[in-house]
Amino acid sequence: MKEVIAYIHTHWDREWYREFQEFRLRLIEVVDEILEALENANLPCFYFDGQISAIEDYLEIRSEKTDLIKKLIKDKKLFIGPFYCSSDSFLVSGASLYHNLKIGIETAKKFGESEFIGYIADSFGHSKDIPVLLKSFNISDAILWRGLGDLNANLNWNGINVTNLIQGYFQDYLHSDLPIEKKAENLKKYLDKISEKSGNTLLLPIGADHLAYPKNIIETINELNNIYDDYKITIASPFDYLKKIQKRKKFEGEFLDNSKTFLLKGVYSSRPYIKKANAECQWLLNRIAEPLNKFAVDCFCAKNKQNEINYAYKELIKNQAHDSIYGCCIDETAKDVMSRYQTVKTIANGVIKRNLRDLEDKKGELSVINLSDYKYSGRIFIETEKTLKSDFNAVKIASKYGFTDKKLYNINDIPITEDITTINTYIIDVKDLEPFSLTKITKNKICNENFIKTASNYIENKFIKLEIENNKITVTDKKTGDIYIDFITIQDRADIGDSYNFGALKNDKPIKAEIKSFKIKKEKIKAVLSVIYKIEIPIFSDNRGRLEKKDNCIINIDFTLYNQSEMAEIQANWINKSKNHILQIGFNLKEKIFQTVSEDLFSTVKREFNPDYNIYDFIPAQRGIELKTNTAPMQRFVNTQNLTLITKGINEYEVNKNILYLTLLRAAGIISNPSNPCRGTPAGPPVETPDLQCLGLNIADFAFAFICNEKEMFKIADEFYNPCVCLFTNKTCEK
């Protein structure tokens, strides 16, 4: 007879196919019942989904229950933490996940919790760097689902003891009104499948999304034990299970195998505007506001603003709850997400400005703080009402009327209408800024060499040349001499899927964009090749095909080369008027792509591809099957064959023969399409989501460089995001 450790739980999506506040009203009712049952011994113990935010959300309304929750935790009846929110590990940065776990553990400890499991039951795959994160908080055990394929229940994954939820966390047989004999029959099938991959002890989750505990659960378990002769079920916690497991097989790498569980990889490109806002806010908070604050405090004894930063982190992490960052939510939820991003951005910028205020001198000289881990040479931006010295060779790129920072961030002064003045934004080309340093900008820090060259049909610096030939873009890697003819391709395909999965249309052929016109602009520090593409996109697609009526979509793309930069920076903008389609930009390489290297949470990850795989050959998917794709997630960059693509919030790339694609837009109109040809079973409710179509103006920012050294990839990604802040000060410090 095998022992079954059954833990009672609920999986709590903070917001999804209903708004946060609507789900919270349900949360209150669910937790009220759980606490009452625990207090009255109608429920032995309860595991709360590995995240603390639901308890916080509950106590905002039921604050009088705080002491009861603390007592239940002390008595080992209620288990909370360690994460603040159940997040994703491919769409959020390592720094964000670190703060997610840090805030979660600190909050859980305030309630008296001291034991933690890395419980990640519903994220769509798992980064290989998750064990690094868990070990940094002395967490040695994890419970996972999705992406583990056909692996055993008990593993040692990159140094962490992992339990694979073979049949998932979603098990609600015992919530039904079926007779006990039928419940036993259904549950036994479930247990038999878990048993195939387990030893003599099985872990059984009892619970599902937003569900209260099954009523009369103790009596039900007793009845099941009387029926079974091969299983004995005990209600306990996952900790009790973990103590019993001794033998584990080793596994290294990431978990992105969808052969047994849906990975729903279309979420990497759903609602791209959310991913872009997330990337911007993460950079501002993780890499500018927080390190600048530490720099100001440690080096100059400035007032610490970490509490303000922590508040912003909480707002950011709320947006990184998996259904929120995935974009597989209703439109109202997506609007709430974007509102929180604006909050994060406002706080981060406010903290940055106040730290700069604290470091500035009235008669200070222009200085730069390089917040990168790498030596920096390149363009810096300075916004000021002051006149800059001619020695700086500054290029003015914008002007506006407004209040100066001196007025806005002086608590002893009131900005009034008469204080509005002209504020200019300049670019200055600097060199040799040491990592994490404050440097006064003098003549010897200005790059006076000019590497920019232009003609009627090309722009170049010392690293890259972009040329229009025969109405196509040819790119030269000047370090190696390699020439890439027809380097850029833009294509559109039908997408009859949903927020979770791309949906391939049978016999669909990609529509290619063509160059309509171009122009070249040269400045002191940069050159810009502005290209106008035209592409005819059908205004609607469904399982019957693509409409003949088309939108003559104009895509404006600026390719910018800065004087000292190894990368070509690209901004694309277009107005989307079509529904149910996917728009991608591809980079044509010399050979088929079998392997990529992309940024992971704290390192890089190598992935293997079959470049000839074609999802169209396998549609429609059979019931219960999610088709494989040649798409994959990335943080900021992906590399193959010496080409590195860097993006701001474009997290999905695709391999097709010798072309590496970035997904610029995936327009769909429903959370889960029950007829998605690439997924044989629904993944959520069929709620219509018009805003998921992303109609109107779309903007994408990315870049490419010809580098293959991993350290250089991180360095150039920092450069693309801009690691420098400018101020006027005479202060100096030593590294």
Side-chain angles (χ1 to χ4, degrees):
M1 179 176 289
K2 290 194 174 185
E3 180 183 19
V4 179
I5 302 293
Y7 69 97
I8 316 299
H9 76 101
T10 187
H11 174 60
W12 204 265
D13 299 297
R14 202 167 180 272
E15 53 192 5
W16 179 21
Y17 59 86
R18 291 290 185 269
E19 302 91 330
F20 159 66
Q21 296 295 353
E22 173 59 38
F23 270 155
R24 175 152 71 174
L25 294 175
R26 183 181 178 101
L27 173 71
I28 293 165
E29 296 176 335
V30 168
V31 178
D32 279 346
E33 284 196 1
I34 291 167
L35 297 182
E36 182 181 357
L38 291 172
E39 189 177 21
N40 296 327
N42 293 323
L43 186 63
C45 58
F46 190 87
Y47 189 79
F48 215 116
D49 205 33
Q51 53 178 333
I52 193 67
S53 59
I55 295 296
E56 270 201 351
D57 295 337
Y58 173 79
L59 289 175
E60 280 188 5
I61 308 298
R62 293 277 197 268
S63 59
E64 70 276 10
K65 298 290 187 179
T66 302
D67 290 341
L68 174 59
I69 286 175
K70 288 181 177 180
K71 183 181 185 303
L72 292 171
I73 290 171
K74 182 180 179 181
D75 294 342
K76 302 295 183 184
K77 293 184 177 181
L78 180 64
F79 299 88
I80 62 172
F83 290 95
Y84 183 74
C85 256
S86 177
S87 185
D88 179 67
S89 63
F90 296 111
L91 296 176
V92 305
S93 69
S96 293
L97 269 182
Y98 175 87
H99 280 278
N100 188 333
L101 193 50
K102 180 174 181 286
I103 293 170
I105 289 174
E106 288 174 350
T107 306
K109 284 183 175 180
K110 290 177 182 177
F111 288 96
E113 185 62 87
S114 59
E115 293 183 280
F116 301 105
I117 299 168
Y119 188 84
I120 315 173
D122 196 29
S123 291
F124 301 169
H126 306 278
S127 159
K128 70 176 181 61
D129 286 341
I130 287 293
V132 176
L133 176 70
L134 295 177
K135 284 187 280 188
S136 70
F137 288 92
N138 297 315
I139 297 174
S140 58
D141 297 285
I143 294 176
L144 310 178
W145 185 51
R146 296 191 192 271
L148 283 76
D150 203 27
L151 295 173
N152 287 337
N154 301 303
L155 308 165
N156 183 282
W157 175 42
N158 297 340
I160 290 287
N161 293 326
V162 165
T163 296
N164 171 18
L165 294 177
I166 300 297
Q167 289 296 107
Y169 69 88
F170 197 102
Q171 198 290 102
D172 63 341
Y173 296 131
L174 303 188
H175 290 78
S176 69
D177 293 327
L178 296 172
I180 188 64
E181 292 78 13
K182 189 63 177 178
K183 287 182 180 180
E185 179 185 341
N186 291 339
L187 183 59
K188 188 176 185 306
K189 294 176 183 177
Y190 192 91
L191 289 171
D192 288 345
K193 290 180 180 179
I194 299 174
S195 180
E196 290 175 6
K197 299 294 182 180
S198 303
N200 291 324
T201 304
L202 282 62
L203 182 63
L204 173 67
I206 297 177
D209 295 356
H210 308 110
L211 274 183
Y213 79 99
K215 303 303 180 288
N216 303 314
I217 184 62
I218 296 175
E219 293 84 348
T220 300
I221 294 298
N222 289 335
E223 290 182 83
L224 291 171
N225 284 332
N226 289 330
I227 294 173
Y228 294 144
D229 55 12
D230 46 1
Y231 297 113
K232 182 179 180 180
I233 304 173
T234 302
I235 300 175
S237 78
F239 293 96
D240 297 302
Y241 171 82
L242 293 170
K243 291 172 185 175
K244 294 177 177 291
I245 304 304
Q246 301 296 325
K247 300 176 71 173
R248 296 178 182 273
K249 291 188 176 181
K250 287 189 175 182
F251 181 88
E252 295 182 355
E254 62 185 357
F255 291 129
L256 273 178
D257 184 342
N258 74 339
S259 61
K260 296 295 180 180
T261 56
F262 290 174
L263 282 183
L264 311 172
K265 294 167 75 172
V267 297
Y268 304 146
S269 52
S270 289
R271 299 189 192 269
Y273 59 89
I274 285 180
K275 278 70 171 177
K276 184 174 182 179
N278 185 65
E280 179 183 10
C281 287
Q282 285 188 149
W283 179 262
L284 277 174
L285 205 53
N286 298 164
R287 301 296 301 278
I288 304 294
E290 189 166 38
L292 177 62
N293 179 68
K294 184 170 177 56
F295 184 86
V297 171
D298 291 353
C299 296
F300 298 105
C301 299
K303 187 176 181 180
N304 196 338
K305 301 169 184 64
Q306 190 62 45
N307 286 343
E308 293 89 331
I309 291 169
N310 289 344
Y311 176 82
Y313 266 119
K314 265 196 169 182
E315 293 302 296
L316 175 66
I317 292 164
K318 289 173 185 176
N319 277 355
Q320 294 174 344
H322 58 278
D323 293 304
S324 304
I325 189 65
Y326 289 153
C328 55
C329 53
I330 59 173
D331 292 341
E332 290 76 13
T333 291
K335 289 170 184 174
D336 288 344
V337 168
M338 293 304 293
S339 177
R340 285 195 291 267
Y341 279 129
Q342 185 57 51
T343 297
V344 174
K345 185 176 177 180
T346 299
I347 295 171
N349 280 322
V351 168
I352 292 166
K353 293 287 189 180
R354 283 166 173 80
N355 272 313
L356 294 178
R357 173 202 64 192
D358 295 346
L359 297 179
E360 286 196 329
D361 302 321
K362 288 184 178 180
K363 296 183 179 180
E365 297 292 329
L366 178 61
S367 300
V368 179
I369 301 175
N370 174 19
L371 294 167
S372 174
D373 296 326
Y374 307 98
K375 197 170 186 177
Y376 183 82
S377 295
R379 77 281 195 268
I380 60 171
F381 297 89
I382 175 70
E383 188 177 85
T384 180
E385 79 284 3
K386 296 183 179 181
T387 301
L388 299 182
K389 294 179 181 179
S390 59
D391 293 346
F392 296 155
N393 292 329
V395 177
K396 184 168 74 174
I397 60 171
S399 291
K400 67 179 182 181
Y401 289 103
F403 298 111
T404 66
D405 291 345
K406 180 180 177 182
K407 281 285 183 184
L408 286 173
Y409 298 101
N410 183 351
I411 62 173
N412 296 309
D413 206 349
I414 302 174
I416 58 175
T417 305
E418 289 78 3
D419 294 322
I420 289 180
T421 187
T422 300
I423 301 172
N424 296 317
T425 301
Y426 299 91
I427 305 180
I428 302 173
D429 204 21
V430 300
K431 60 183 180 181
D432 300 331
L433 304 183
E434 293 297 323
F436 211 74
S437 65
L438 170 62
T439 305
K440 186 179 292 185
I441 301 303
T442 56
K443 278 186 177 182
N444 67 339
K445 289 297 179 182
I446 299 296
C447 179
N448 290 308
E449 295 179 271
N450 190 346
F451 304 110
I452 296 291
K453 295 180 182 179
T454 63
S456 61
N457 69 330
Y458 73 82
I459 62 173
E460 67 176 308
N461 62 13
K462 62 180 178 179
F463 300 106
I464 297 174
K465 180 179 181 180
L466 290 95
E467 186 175 8
I468 302 286
E469 290 184 320
N470 301 319
N471 227 32
K472 300 182 185 300
I473 293 180
T474 295
V475 174
T476 302
D477 175 2
K478 295 179 68 176
K479 289 186 293 182
T480 63
D482 288 336
I483 298 173
Y484 300 85
I485 298 172
D486 195 14
F487 184 55
I488 302 293
T489 182
I490 299 175
Q491 70 172 22
D492 189 88
R493 293 177 287 158
D495 184 348
I496 57 173
D498 48 42
S499 67
Y500 291 112
N501 293 85
F502 164 74
L505 175 65
K506 197 71 174 177
N507 301 318
D508 185 39
K509 302 297 181 184
I511 300 169
K512 303 290 186 178
E514 295 181 351
I515 293 177
K516 184 178 179 182
S517 64
F518 69 91
K519 63 180 180 180
I520 288 170
K521 181 180 180 181
K522 180 182 179 183
E523 296 176 347
K524 287 183 182 179
I525 296 172
K526 67 177 182 178
V528 181
L529 169 62
S530 297
V531 182
I532 297 177
Y533 285 87
K534 178 183 176 182
I535 183 169
E536 295 185 342
I537 303 176
I539 63 170
F540 183 77
S541 303
D542 60 18
N543 57 6
R544 295 168 294 182
R546 308 195 76 174
L547 287 189
E548 291 186 8
K549 184 178 180 181
K550 296 180 175 65
D551 170 49
N552 291 322
C553 181
I554 299 299
I555 304 174
N556 303 291
I557 299 186
D558 285 345
F559 298 87
T560 301
L561 292 179
Y562 285 97
N563 191 41
Q564 300 182 75
S565 180
E566 289 192 58
M567 65 182 157
E569 300 189 22
I570 305 170
Q571 184 175 84
N573 71 79
W574 68 101
I575 295 176
N576 179 40
K577 297 180 181 178
S578 300
K579 298 180 180 180
N580 297 351
H581 68 112
I582 181 171
L583 183 67
Q584 297 173 298
I585 186 166
F587 299 82
N588 292 290
L589 299 174
K590 296 179 181 295
E591 300 174 1
K592 287 185 176 181
I593 300 168
F594 291 92
Q595 186 182 82
T596 65
V597 174
S598 58
E599 185 182 20
D600 209 350
L601 289 175
F602 308 109
S603 60
T604 59
V605 58
K606 290 183 180 179
R607 297 190 179 110
E608 305 295 329
F609 289 87
N610 172 6
D612 295 314
Y613 175 78
N614 187 350
I615 196 170
Y616 293 87
D617 294 337
F618 299 94
I619 55 174
Q622 296 178 2
R623 180 166 178 77
I625 298 296
E626 178 190 51
L627 295 182
K628 293 181 180 180
T629 72
N630 260 16
T631 60
M634 66 186 205
Q635 293 282 340
R636 294 178 301 167
F637 62 77
V638 60
N639 170 276
T640 189
Q641 296 180 33
N642 200 41
L643 172 71
T644 299
L645 304 181
I646 314 105
T647 80
K648 291 182 180 177
I650 300 173
N651 296 103
E652 178 180 281
Y653 67 91
E654 182 175 6
V655 168
N656 185 355
K657 297 187 177 1
N658 66 311
I659 304 177
L660 183 62
Y661 284 100
L662 295 176
T663 301
L664 301 182
L665 171 67
R666 204 171 64 79
I670 191 169
I671 289 181
S672 175
N673 177 7
S675 300
N676 190 327
C678 294
R679 187 192 64 239
T681 308
V687 179
E688 293 187 1
T689 51
D691 291 353
L692 188 63
Q693 299 284 6
C694 299
L695 300 176
L697 178 64
N698 286 261
I699 300 174
D701 294 282
F702 48 103
F704 70 84
F706 295 106
I707 53 176
C708 59
N709 179 277
E710 288 189 11
K711 183 178 179 180
E712 291 299 312
M713 294 177 202
F714 283 100
K715 181 177 183 294
I716 206 159
D718 277 12
E719 179 185 333
F720 185 49
Y721 274 73
N722 187 18
C724 297
V725 292
C726 296
L727 70 162
F728 290 90
T729 188
N730 288 320
K731 291 183 171 69
T732 58
C733 73
E734 296 183 1
K735 289 174 52 184

